[in-house]
Structures are given as C-alpha cells and as structure tokens.
Amino acid sequence: MLEELETIQDFLAVNSDEKRAKKDFHVVLICFYSFNSFGSHTISSVLKSHGFKVSHIFFKNYFVDNMDLPTEAEYKHAVKLINKLKPDLIGIGSMSTFAPITVELIERLKGIGKPVVFGGSHAIYNPDHAIKYADIVCVGEGEAPILKLAYKLYNGQEYDNIRNLWIKKNGSVIKNELYPLLQNLDLIPFPDFSNENKYFIENNNLRIGEPYYTNTLSWYNFMSGRGCPFICTYCCNSYLIKYYKNKGSMLRRRTVDNVINELKIAKSMFPKLSVISSNDEVFVLDREWLVDFCEKYKNEIDVPFHCDIHPSKVSDETINILKKIRLKTVTMGVQAGSEKVRKEIYKRHTSDNMIIKAGKVFKKYNVFPSYDFIFDNPLETIETLEDSLTLLLRLPRPFRTNTYSMQYHPKTELTSYLLEKGIIKDDEIDGCSLKGLKQWHVRLQTQYKCGESYYIYALFKIFSYSFVVVTPRINLRVSVFPTFIIKIIIKNKTILKRKIFFLKVLCDIGENIEKLGRLFSVLLSLNFSKIFEKLFHLQNRGKNAFSND
C-alpha cells in the first residue's frame, strides 16, 4: 500500500513543465446547492494546476431550510450552457439529499455525448444507484482519479482500470478497487478563487462569475484536515470507517504552514473578511499542532476565529489557547439532552457533566457557543426530549441552539438499524426522500400542529433567542428571556401543551428581537453594502450569461 500511496502522491504533485503545460481538454464541474463547495473548488485547482481547462456551474445555492426544487427554466439554463461550453468531460458532485436532482440533470445531458462522472458523498454511499444513470462513478476521494481520468481521455487512452472509479462498458460495470487514502494533504492545491469560467444558476437566472468567493466575502471557511475520530451512529463516518478499512488513516491533517498560507491568501483577497472558520468536523485534536497553528495565526492572520469542537476536547487550556487568536464563537454537538440516548443510540460517550463543564468554560472565556441537537428521532420519547430542557437549564447562558431534523443518511449504523427493525422505509432514506431539501432544521411552522411535542421545540427556541450586536468594536450578547421566566414556563408544561399559542407569541417576540440585533450590527458597522446585498440578494450579482445572445 505504501508504494501505491507514493505513486498517487507523485502523480498529484505538480513537479514538471509537462504537467503544468496547457492542455486542449475542457472539464465542466457541476455542484448542487453549494456555492462554496469545497470539493468543486479544490478539484478545479487540481485540474488547473495540471494545465486542464475547467469551467464551473453552481446549480442553485444552499439555504438553511425550505429550498426549492429547480425549475424547468433552471434546468434549461444548465443544459444550454453545458452545450455551449462543449466539454470533453462532465463531473457532477452531489450529496444524497440532492441525488434525485442530479439524476434529472444527467438524464437531460444524455444527448451531449460526453462522459459524465457522478461524484460526491452520494456516489460513495450508494454507487449502485449512481451507476444506473452516470457513465462513471467516483466511489472514493476524487482528486487523483478525476485527474488520471482527464489525462487518459486527453491522451486517447483506455481508462478502465482507474482506481476509485466504477465504469460502464459494453453493458456491464467495471468496479475498480479503492486507492489508499491520500495522507499528504498539502499536495492538494488551495481552492480555486478565480472568477473565470464560472457560472451560477438561481432564481431562474443564469449568471457569470464566482458566486461565493467575492470581494464582499466576510466569513471564510477552511478545512485543516479530513476524517473524524468518532463513530456517531447517525453520521456517515460510522460507514466510512469500515469502507476505508486497510486503506490508511482516515484522520489526516495538513501542515500548519500549509493552512496558514491558504489563510494569508484569503485575507489578502477578501478585504471585508471578519471571521475565519474551521469547517473541520473536530478542529481540536492534537495539542502540538494547535499551539503551532495559534502562534502563527495570531502573528500572520489575526482575524476573529470560529471552530467546531467536541465536548471531550473542551478544557481551560484549550480554550485559553484559542482565545489568543480571538476565538469568538464555537459550535459543539450535544445531539440529545438524554445521556442514555447519546450513549446507547448515538454512541457518543459524553456525559451531562462533561457538556455542562464545557459550557462553563465557554462562559469563563467569553466564548459564545452554539449547541447542536437532533430531533425527529423515532427512538426518542417525550421523556427523553424533556431531558434536553433539563440539560439546557443547567448550561450557562446566553447560547444558541441549532435544532436539526434527523436525516437518514444511506448506510449509516443508525439508518441500517431503523431499516432492519422496520421503523423506517427505503423511501425515507436520504437520496430517495427530499426531506433534507425542505427541512434540514426543525421548523416551528411544521411542528405547530404536533401539540404534544411542539412546546419542546418552542422552548428550545426560547432558550436560544439572544439580542446580539457584533461590530469591530462591540460584542454584545444577551439572552432575550431570563432563565427564571423559562423555569416558570417549564413548570407549567401541562398547560402549555393545551395553550401552545402562548409559546408561538414568545417565539415571535424572540425572533423580532434577534432581527433587531442584526439590524443594529449592520447599521453600527456602517456596512451599507451588506444592507444592499440582503435587500437584493442574488438579483444583482454577476451578469446574465446570455446577455449577448
């Protein structure tokens, strides 16, 4: 395996003029509901670094909830543009949530006559489904196989034996083995920030230009590594840890210098940058790496910082180190207020005391936490949901709660269990179900009719509402509803189950006070371009791609 790995790493490295030379070969990359897609932007950089021409199509953007299916006009824009670009290879990346939309577009591209690669997480979790529609499916990490495929096609060579790819040929499917996992992540170029050959489709419009990495960008996401050390049952990692067995360490990290160099470029390119955020599943892993990163970040970047953190990694020492780089906010997964649900159903070995201790550390260092919770779990009861309210009462405020609606991702341990027990059906799994498109988070509008449980969801929101004013000079965060009021409400839950209108009024009050805080933040920052952007959304970004037709 070591020899194979060295071959891959040597292949990816841009270490010769021949590799850098411009090549008359055009790859079109398409991603769904993600203007800031890591995969699309980095694979583009890999291909460009080897001289291939790359165009991007960002097909609709991600919004928190209630995303719309593409319209007929949007599909027609995509097909017309792809025909106009005359690609030699088409690569499509998709999460399982958007698999039905991916399939629809692939079907409409049949007449173009160029190979279509189906990649992204859905292709890894459900390649048998993806290969029904695409010519090629990327069943692992995509940088090396897509680059090798481009070279093979460019040179007119057979590509049947490229690892990480399933390939249709003569009515059958060639299922190649997986590559070893790339360990030296420094070989992957930084995301493609350029504005050239990029298009985005939204609101029935097709426009030219990079839709996310623009000079108005204020929040920059990066990833310092890949993989996660935990195996939560609802997460794809519970499947991937088995899938990549004997293929090398899943938990990999870039060098500190490599990450800092990316952030230096981002800081110079985006003058309105106000927060840099780690998108790693768990940012705090290795103390030595963390200390080195924070020292260099403070000296060379010095922009307010955000990261995701696991309860077991929160300590006075860790948060004190992160405060030196202006850590303002964190996101921490709690997932269930019931310790029993966390341990027995989710395999998260995080006690109530561990979570409460973490909350106290955040309070001590004036770090504003967001706590993630999962709802709509059919294995939970009203009693275990009420445990969440008890836990929230013990956490220092203010804080924010992110209330996610359970998504049944393909082949996770939890999904497999629920299918086996007949608790869910195949059509409820992400990739068949479109639930994730409309309800990624718990929506009070949806839960309003569920009187018995509505009061729990509403109380989560009431706990969370904060009046927040954040500017370069102000960092004010105050809970809207005092704890003693919430305690009174919880003690009268029997009445609330019958009088849920009262909770709806409180939620409306909290929502409007939060909006007021956001308005003050914008006005006090004198960020009039942000006001303009919010008012006009995407309507005025980019120019019409067919304006000269």
Side-chain angles (χ1 to χ4, degrees):
M1 188 179 77
L2 182 60
E3 186 178 337
E4 281 184 298
L5 186 58
E6 288 174 350
T7 301
I8 298 167
Q9 294 183 162
D10 183 63
F11 175 66
L12 281 170
V14 185
N15 51 16
S16 70
D17 290 338
E18 182 182 358
K19 287 184 176 181
R20 281 186 286 268
K22 295 290 183 184
K23 299 168 180 66
D24 184 19
F25 189 90
H26 188 190
V27 182
V28 171
L29 299 176
I30 306 167
C31 64
F32 294 90
Y33 295 88
S34 183
F35 283 0
N36 64 333
S37 164
F38 280 113
S40 184
H41 283 94
T42 54
I43 286 179
S44 171
S45 291
V46 169
L47 290 165
K48 282 186 171 183
S49 69
H50 283 252
F52 292 98
K53 180 181 177 181
V54 180
S55 294
H56 286 258
I57 301 174
F58 300 95
F59 195 22
K60 300 190 71 65
N61 198 14
Y62 170 80
F63 296 101
V64 174
D65 286 302
N66 206 25
M67 292 178 283
D68 294 322
L69 287 166
T71 64
E72 182 64 23
E74 288 168 337
Y75 277 121
K76 286 181 176 179
H77 277 316
V79 174
K80 182 179 179 182
L81 174 60
I82 294 164
N83 272 294
K84 188 175 181 179
L85 292 173
K86 294 181 169 54
D88 298 294
L89 175 65
I90 301 169
I92 302 179
S94 175
M95 295 167 55
S96 291
T97 301
F98 312 122
I101 299 161
T102 307
V103 166
E104 176 64 28
L105 183 61
I106 290 174
E107 290 293 292
R108 292 172 182 243
L109 296 177
K110 294 291 188 186
I112 291 179
K114 297 297 179 181
V116 174
V117 183
F118 195 147
S121 58
H122 184 71
I124 295 174
Y125 308 141
N126 204 343
D128 291 300
H129 175 256
I131 199 64
K132 291 177 182 178
Y133 305 96
D135 305 296
I136 303 167
V137 174
C138 183
V139 298
E141 293 183 348
E143 291 85 5
I146 297 306
L147 181 61
K148 185 162 284 192
L149 177 63
Y151 267 110
K152 293 279 190 182
L153 289 168
Y154 171 66
N155 291 317
Q157 299 170 337
E158 291 293 323
Y159 52 85
D160 300 353
N161 62 349
I162 300 175
R163 292 199 172 202
N164 281 25
L165 298 183
W166 286 14
I167 300 159
K168 277 183 184 172
K169 187 174 183 180
N170 300 327
S172 63
V173 177
I174 300 169
K175 298 180 179 181
N176 291 299
E177 292 290 321
L178 289 171
Y179 275 127
L181 288 167
L182 180 67
Q183 298 298 309
N184 182 5
L185 298 184
D186 286 8
L187 289 173
I188 299 174
F190 304 147
D192 175 11
F193 298 140
S194 70
N195 204 43
E196 62 179 6
N197 300 322
K198 291 185 177 178
Y199 309 84
F200 59 99
I201 296 171
E202 187 65 275
N203 298 328
N204 288 325
N205 291 315
L206 167 62
R207 298 189 177 276
I208 298 174
E210 165 62 52
Y212 183 78
Y213 293 112
T214 69
N215 59 10
T216 63
L217 185 70
S218 60
W219 184 291
Y220 181 80
N221 291 307
F222 74 97
M223 293 188 74
S224 70
R226 292 181 179 179
C228 177
F230 303 103
I231 52 170
C232 306
T233 59
Y234 53 81
C235 176
C236 60
N237 199 52
S238 65
Y239 170 69
L240 294 178
I241 201 79
K242 301 170 187 173
Y243 186 69
Y244 285 120
K245 187 177 181 181
N246 300 323
K247 293 298 179 181
S249 173
M250 272 191 63
L251 195 61
R252 297 152 287 160
R253 203 153 210 185
R254 298 157 60 188
T255 61
V256 168
D257 287 342
N258 183 262
V259 175
I260 293 296
N261 286 338
E262 177 189 338
L263 300 183
K264 285 164 71 175
I265 293 170
K267 184 179 177 182
S268 67
M269 289 191 66
F270 309 120
K272 296 185 179 179
L273 209 57
S274 60
V275 178
I276 289 178
S277 171
S278 157
N279 242 69
D280 297 280
E281 292 172 275
V282 182
F283 181 69
V284 176
L285 291 169
D286 175 71
R287 185 186 183 282
E288 184 179 345
W289 190 97
L290 181 67
V291 169
D292 189 20
F293 173 82
C294 289
E295 286 177 359
K296 290 174 179 175
Y297 187 96
K298 181 179 180 181
N299 293 330
E300 301 180 54
I301 309 299
D302 196 30
V303 173
F305 193 71
H306 171 91
C307 67
D308 290 5
I309 194 166
H310 190 271
S312 65
K313 302 297 181 181
V314 179
S315 66
D316 276 279
E317 181 189 32
T318 298
I319 302 304
N320 189 39
I321 292 169
L322 287 166
K323 277 299 289 187
K324 293 175 182 176
I325 61 169
R326 300 166 67 190
L327 179 73
K328 301 290 186 183
T329 56
V330 293
T331 300
M332 187 177 84
V334 177
Q335 314 309 0
S338 165
E339 192 169 312
K340 183 177 180 180
V341 171
R342 289 197 302 273
K343 290 183 178 180
E344 296 181 9
I345 297 177
Y346 294 155
K347 291 189 178 177
R348 289 179 64 85
H349 299 288
T350 51
S351 66
D352 287 352
N353 287 338
M354 180 187 289
I355 291 165
I356 293 161
K357 181 182 175 183
K360 289 178 178 178
V361 172
F362 298 144
K363 185 73 172 181
K364 177 179 177 179
Y365 290 95
N366 194 28
V367 174
F368 183 75
S370 294
Y371 299 121
D372 290 349
F373 286 82
I374 299 172
F375 288 96
D376 299 337
N377 178 354
L379 300 178
E380 282 224 58
T381 64
I382 290 295
E383 289 72 29
T384 61
L385 286 173
E386 287 178 343
D387 287 342
S388 296
L389 298 177
T390 303
L391 180 63
L392 290 182
L393 279 172
R394 298 174 67 190
L395 287 169
R397 301 174 73 209
F399 55 75
R400 177 185 174 189
T401 58
N402 299 316
T403 52
Y404 292 97
S405 182
M406 174 67 79
Q407 309 295 321
Y408 304 118
H409 300 306
K411 297 185 179 176
T412 66
E413 187 176 330
L414 182 58
T415 297
S416 299
Y417 175 81
L418 294 173
L419 280 171
E420 180 187 338
K421 297 297 181 182
I423 297 170
I424 62 171
K425 299 177 181 177
D426 287 332
D427 61 6
E428 294 177 76
I429 298 174
D430 212 13
C432 297
S433 168
L434 288 171
K435 177 186 176 184
L437 199 68
K438 292 293 184 182
Q439 190 177 338
W440 195 255
H441 294 77
V442 171
R443 300 175 63 212
L444 287 177
Q445 299 94 318
T446 304
Q447 298 295 334
Y448 186 63
K449 296 177 182 178
C450 306
E452 187 178 15
S453 58
Y454 174 83
Y455 81 99
I456 294 175
Y457 303 123
L459 280 168
F460 257 80
K461 297 295 290 183
I462 290 167
F463 263 112
S464 184
Y465 287 127
S466 300
F467 178 73
V468 179
V469 178
V470 178
T471 74
R473 296 185 179 182
I474 302 171
N475 186 18
L476 174 67
R477 301 176 189 270
V478 181
S479 297
V480 172
F481 299 103
T483 301
F484 78 88
I485 289 180
I486 295 174
K487 286 182 177 179
I488 293 171
I489 294 171
I490 291 175
K491 284 181 180 178
N492 292 278
K493 64 184 180 185
T494 305
I495 298 172
L496 290 177
K497 290 179 183 180
R498 299 196 305 267
K499 306 289 184 181
I500 59 176
F501 179 75
F502 172 68
L503 291 174
K504 189 173 184 302
V505 170
L506 290 181
C507 287
D508 289 340
I509 292 170
E511 192 74 38
N512 285 312
I513 291 176
E514 282 202 339
K515 288 178 181 177
L516 188 63
R518 290 194 289 270
L519 177 62
F520 273 116
S521 296
V522 172
L523 292 175
L524 292 173
S525 299
L526 300 178
N527 193 346
F528 298 112
S529 63
K530 193 73 173 179
I531 299 172
F532 185 85
E533 183 182 341
K534 290 292 183 184
L535 286 173
F536 295 99
H537 195 43
L538 292 172
Q539 302 288 338
N540 298 304
R541 293 175 64 182
K543 65 178 182 178
N544 194 302
F546 296 141
S547 57
N548 296 321
D549 282 7

